[in-house]
Amino acid sequence: QVQLVESGGGLVQAGGSLRLSCAASGSIFSINAMGWYRQAPGKQRELVAAVTTGGSINYADSVKGRFTISRDNAKNTVYLQMNSLKPEDTAVYRCYAFSAPVYYWGKGTLVTVSS
């Protein structure tokens, strides 16, 4: 079992920045990858960014150049630095950890970007 606790969401004006954190605990040795999904009202869930234990990183095209995912192995924490935020980034962001074949999920944190 893996437990995930997110923090860092909130309200920000367009052009601003936020940093999300996701701290993992439990069977962290089994984690293959961690990352963030988001879902806005009326829209499908979207993979925002992910990082594997091998260091491979993927981003959604919509956030490339603005968002950066990173990890602190000592703290078992993954971060999502979000810069140049746009109103269309408004969504609930959920952290996940993939431990094959199971996905574990955080509760989600709301990010609201005002125009």
Side-chain angles (χ1 to χ4, degrees):
Q1 294 287 325
V2 175
Q3 295 78 44
L4 302 171
V5 178
E6 302 138 327
S7 61
L11 173 64
V12 64
Q13 288 187 332
S17 298
L18 283 173
R19 188 177 80 156
L20 305 182
S21 300
C22 177
S25 61
S27 301
I28 58 174
F29 60 89
S30 67
I31 294 174
N32 306 115
M34 292 183 67
W36 297 87
Y37 275 84
R38 68 184 180 185
Q39 188 163 21
K43 294 188 178 181
Q44 288 190 332
R45 187 176 64 183
E46 174 187 31
L47 177 63
V48 177
V51 57
T52 70
T53 52
S56 296
I57 291 176
N58 289 309
Y59 294 102
D61 288 342
S62 58
V63 306
K64 284 180 180 177
R66 300 187 298 121
F67 290 12
T68 302
I69 190 169
S70 61
R71 63 183 185 182
D72 184 333
N73 291 330
K75 296 182 178 180
N76 301 317
T77 299
V78 171
Y79 303 96
L80 185 67
Q81 178 66 43
M82 305 185 293
N83 298 329
S84 302
L85 282 161
K86 304 175 181 180
E88 51 263 44
D89 294 318
T90 295
V92 174
Y93 286 69
R94 292 187 75 186
C95 175
Y96 78 91
F98 178 62
S99 176
V102 179
Y103 280 87
Y104 297 93
W105 296 93
K107 292 183 178 180
T109 184
L110 177 62
V111 172
T112 303
V113 184
S114 63
S115 57

